[in-house]
Amino acid sequence: MTGNMKTALITGITGQDGSYLAELLLRKGYRVVGMVRRLSMENFGRIQHLLETVEIVQGDLLDQMSLIDIVSHAAPDEVYNLAAMSFVPTSWKQPVLTAEFTALGVTRMLEALRIVAPRARFYQASSSEMFGKVRETPQSELTPFYPRSPYGVAKVYGHWITVNYRESYNLHASSGILFNHESPRRGLEFVTRKVSNGVARIKLGMARELRMGNVSAKRDWGFAGDYVEAMWRMLQQDEPDDFVVATGQTHSVERLLETAFGCQDLDWRDYVVIDSAFLRPAEVDYLVGDPSKAQRILDWKPQVSFEDLIRMMVEADLCRLKATGPPCA
């Protein structure tokens, strides 16, 4: 650490959350070190504008020694573990790899901290998918887990191993149980971005229909840029803990379609085709979080409404598809 400058290590820095978190930490004066996997094609699109201000290091959640080396050399004050196999449908096709990254990868990172940086503060990206077939509504930090996908199961392991290391080794390790959080930087495979991109393509005459699966599923959707603020606030607390991060409001996929098409004066029913190919083997039908603990202890509240979020995403996709230059957001 140089002077009073804190160092943060972010795994998954090239993802949606990693890019927003890196921006937030840079604004707060942090030295930001981002861990990326060595790939044949590097995917720096979301952090292209940050490459001159963050340090990129190569490492892998599957490789214990690479994590020990990175933590040793970076000497972080805070570690944000955002890397995971994050797309739920893919977890059925690659369940073992999902477990390696999303479950055991957390253990490897915690082991690296225990060995070389036991005083570093650790954030684990837990997920509302852990609740799955929900036991109560809304879901709080005390709601029992009932995951409905290999991804959800792996996230439950990652969550509990974080609690275990906190209690066994006195690590400052916290988990954010984040409900769905979206942005123009969301991957095209996720339903909100699939919809915003689909609406933009239809509006511009590039497509005539949008094929969807279960439109009755309900989710608690917020803005990723708001949620990374909650992550940071968790690691500023004297005591580590777990927090649900959510809006406390739920909307169906049908409402998402209505909002997205509506902001371009289109009726979604004229363009959406229900396709059974997009149905999951086991669906999570209803998720809505209770963020009252985060509001009370972290003084955190979401700033961007559902309607403004969807409008922001549609407009960004329209801008991107119209432009020949870089994305608008």
Side-chain angles (χ1 to χ4, degrees):
M1 191 167 80
T2 308
N4 292 322
M5 179 184 284
K6 283 186 177 180
T7 294
L9 171 63
I10 304 174
T11 74
I13 193 171
T14 58
Q16 168 189 257
D17 292 9
S19 65
Y20 281 112
L21 179 62
E23 289 173 347
L24 174 75
L25 295 174
L26 288 169
R27 288 197 302 270
K28 293 182 180 295
Y30 280 67
R31 168 186 170 230
V32 175
V33 180
M35 189 185 93
V36 300
R37 295 179 68 206
R38 183 173 178 82
L39 301 171
S40 54
M41 241 177 78
E42 291 179 328
N43 179 23
F44 289 149
R46 295 183 184 92
I47 59 166
Q48 196 69 45
H49 61 299
L50 302 177
L51 289 178
E52 292 184 6
T53 50
V54 300
E55 299 172 37
I56 299 297
V57 294
Q58 290 183 343
D60 200 314
L61 288 177
L62 303 186
D63 181 2
Q64 182 73 68
M65 284 310 300
S66 75
L67 300 181
I68 290 173
D69 286 346
I70 286 168
V71 172
S72 179
H73 286 103
D77 300 280
E78 299 171 5
V79 176
Y80 296 86
N81 186 43
L82 309 185
M85 297 279 283
S86 62
F87 186 46
V88 175
T90 301
S91 74
W92 275 286
K93 294 177 178 156
Q94 297 181 301
V96 176
L97 191 60
T98 297
E100 285 284 355
F101 275 111
T102 308
L104 293 179
V106 186
T107 314
R108 294 187 189 102
M109 182 55 82
L110 286 165
E111 270 292 281
L113 293 183
R114 183 182 70 82
I115 293 166
V116 298
R119 285 191 287 199
R121 298 188 171 194
F122 177 78
Y123 171 83
Q124 166 59 15
S126 289
S127 168
S128 60
E129 288 287 332
M130 300 189 305
F131 295 121
K133 190 174 182 179
V134 298
R135 306 285 84 190
E136 64 183 15
T137 299
Q139 294 88 53
S140 75
E141 295 80 5
L142 300 177
T143 302
F145 300 137
Y146 194 142
R148 297 270 281 170
S149 66
Y151 171 80
V153 172
K155 279 292 186 183
V156 169
Y157 176 97
H159 180 86
W160 281 118
I161 201 68
T162 301
V163 172
N164 192 262
Y165 269 66
R166 176 169 76 214
E167 295 178 350
S168 301
Y169 301 114
N170 201 30
L171 295 183
H172 194 295
S174 297
S175 286
I177 306 173
L178 270 59
F179 280 66
N180 294 66
H181 46 291
E182 319 296 321
S183 76
R185 299 179 192 175
R186 195 57 144 150
L188 284 165
E189 68 272 23
F190 290 87
V191 67
T192 49
R193 185 72 196 289
K194 176 181 177 178
V195 169
S196 66
N197 184 63
V199 170
R201 287 176 58 81
I202 288 168
K203 183 70 175 179
L204 295 174
M206 300 167 71
R208 293 184 177 181
E209 66 179 29
L210 178 61
R211 305 188 82 83
M212 299 291 295
N214 178 13
V215 298
S216 62
K218 293 182 176 180
R219 293 291 184 273
D220 184 327
W221 278 300
F223 173 49
D226 288 341
Y227 284 33
V228 298
E229 171 79 24
M231 298 178 189
W232 175 77
R233 291 188 180 209
M234 285 178 215
L235 297 200
Q236 311 317 304
Q237 303 303 305
D238 291 336
E239 297 296 327
D241 205 346
D242 306 321
F243 295 90
V244 164
V245 180
T247 68
Q249 298 178 341
T250 191
H251 302 275
S252 65
V253 175
E254 185 173 309
R255 175 67 183 144
L256 164 65
L257 291 164
E258 183 184 348
T259 304
F261 278 92
C263 73
Q264 295 300 314
D265 299 317
L266 301 171
D267 186 334
W268 70 274
R269 290 165 293 195
D270 295 336
Y271 303 98
V272 171
V273 177
I274 304 301
D275 187 339
S276 61
F278 293 106
L279 297 175
R280 296 180 182 181
E283 181 60 274
V284 175
D285 292 315
Y286 187 85
L287 289 173
V288 57
D290 174 4
S292 57
K293 181 178 174 182
Q295 290 175 3
R296 185 177 72 253
I297 296 174
L298 305 178
D299 193 26
W300 176 87
K301 284 185 180 178
Q303 302 300 311
V304 177
S305 71
F306 172 76
E307 289 76 17
D308 287 346
L309 169 63
I310 302 308
R311 189 177 303 109
M312 174 204 307
M313 293 177 67
V314 172
E315 289 173 357
D317 276 321
L318 277 167
C319 181
R320 178 181 56 84
L321 290 169
K322 286 177 186 174
T324 54
C328 307

